Each structure stands twice: as C-alpha cells, then as structure tokens.
C-alpha cells in the first residue's frame, strides 16, 4: 500500500496553524554611491591620514600626487569636495584654485587648500573656501566638512564602562 498523500485542504489548514516566523530585518541599503573627494597631496602619509578621515565621514577619496593630475581630474569628474595640498609638483595649489574659480564649469566647486606658510598666497578673489595649515591635519578638516555640508559626521564610539576598582590584597598578619 502507498502512503496517503494529504489533500490540499489539509496542507492549507496545517500551514494556517503554524506560526509564521518573522523575516530577519534587512540591513539598510545604501541610497547610492558615496560622494567623492579629490585629494591632491604629494605627501603619501598626509594623504593617507586625510583619506582615513574622509572615509570615516562616508566619503571616497580619489588621491592624486601632482597638480597636473589634479587639474585633469577636476575637469573630468564631479567631486563633492576638492582638497589641494601644498607643494604639489607640476601645478601649484594657488594656480589650481585660480583656474577652477575662473572656469564657468567649476567656479562653485567646494575647495579646501592646505597652505604651508612658505607657499605664496593665491589671488584673493580666486581663493579656496577654506585654508588649513598642515599642522592642523587631519582633524582641522572636520569643522570645514560640517560647514560645507560634505559627508556625515561619524557616530561617537560607545564609551567603555570604567573598570571596577579592585582593592589590593590585605597583608597577612604577622
């Protein structure tokens, strides 16, 4: 004899009596690509520290090491922010800033310049939105990111609970 196969009515009744297991909550999906920042900095260590800060703000850094490459990238791509370091080979930060400010396509670009004391100032009407001294990096960029509305401030890390105090062992009586 063959086993009896339950009818569709019995299967439906059994399914109705089985409690539904909740679906696991889906992780929030990103709403699109992360905003890009052009970071023109010849010093690899400085570029790395700035890039890490930008990453913590939800920004992708496109790092270039020369003024000429920065100029090309500035016109090939749209960036949420452009940061020009000091002492760029090829084309200096003051010249890059002036070129972008004179361009009808990039006149309103958000620019931050890392301005060493020994680098000549640019023409005032073609200056960056903000200037930061190399000694203030990378943390000196935080206030400017907020003012310019670029990226998202990272959540503060959770404070660790203080370790309980442990009394030293009592000395043994003599």
């Amino acid at each position: 004899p063959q086993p009896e196969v339950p009818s569709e009515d019995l299967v439906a009744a059994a399914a109705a009596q089985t409690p539904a297991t909740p679906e696991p909550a889906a992780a929030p999906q990103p709403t699109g690509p992360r905003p890009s920042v052009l970071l023109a900095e010849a010093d690899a260590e400085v570029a790395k520290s700035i890039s890490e800060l930008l990453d913590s703000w939800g920004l992708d850094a496109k790092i270039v090491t020369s003024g000429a490459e920065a100029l090309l990238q500035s016109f090939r791509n749209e960036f949420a922010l452009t940061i020009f370091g000091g002492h760029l080979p090829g084309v200096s930060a003051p010249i890059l800033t002036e070129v972008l400010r004179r361009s009808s396509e990039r006149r309103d670009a958000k620019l931050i310049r890392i301005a060493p004391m020994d680098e000549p100032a640019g023409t005032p009407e073609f200056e960056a939105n903000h200037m930061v001294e190399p000694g203030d990096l990378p943390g000196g960029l935080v206030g400017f990111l907020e003012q310019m509305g670029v990226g998202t401030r990272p959540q503060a890390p959770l404070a660790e609970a203080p370790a309980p105090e442990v009394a030293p062992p009592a000395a043994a009586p003599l």
Side-chain angles (χ1 to χ4, degrees):
Q2 289 190 339
E4 201 171 300
V5 179
S7 72
E8 289 180 19
D9 292 338
L10 290 175
V11 172
Q17 291 178 357
T18 306
T21 56
E23 291 290 323
Q29 295 298 315
T31 57
R34 291 167 35 131
S36 293
V37 173
L38 176 60
L39 173 56
E41 176 54 61
D43 184 316
E45 287 299 313
V46 172
K48 181 180 180 214
S49 69
I50 294 171
S51 178
E52 289 170 353
L53 173 82
L54 295 172
D55 183 58
S56 74
W57 277 70
L59 300 165
D60 284 331
K62 165 73 173 163
I63 301 172
V64 297
T65 58
S66 75
E69 183 63 22
L71 186 60
L72 288 171
Q73 289 297 322
S74 294
F75 284 95
R76 287 182 178 160
N77 301 294
E78 290 283 331
F79 293 98
L81 172 67
T82 299
I83 301 173
F84 292 138
H87 304 295
L88 289 170
V91 181
S92 70
I95 299 299
L96 287 168
T97 304
E98 183 172 345
V99 168
L100 291 182
R101 291 293 186 229
R102 287 181 182 264
S103 162
S104 61
E105 297 172 34
R106 300 290 185 255
R107 178 174 294 131
D108 297 325
K110 294 177 181 179
L111 304 174
I112 295 177
R113 239 185 84 208
I114 301 167
M117 295 293 280
D118 62 342
E119 189 170 69
T123 308
E125 66 266 23
F126 301 116
E127 199 47 80
N129 299 87
H130 299 287
M131 305 275 274
V132 63
E133 290 291 328
D136 295 333
L137 293 172
L141 294 171
V142 169
F144 299 138
L145 293 174
E146 283 186 328
Q147 285 178 9
M148 299 172 94
V150 179
T152 304
R153 178 182 271 282
Q155 302 245 340
L158 297 176
E160 293 183 23
E165 290 187 31
V166 177
L174 295 176

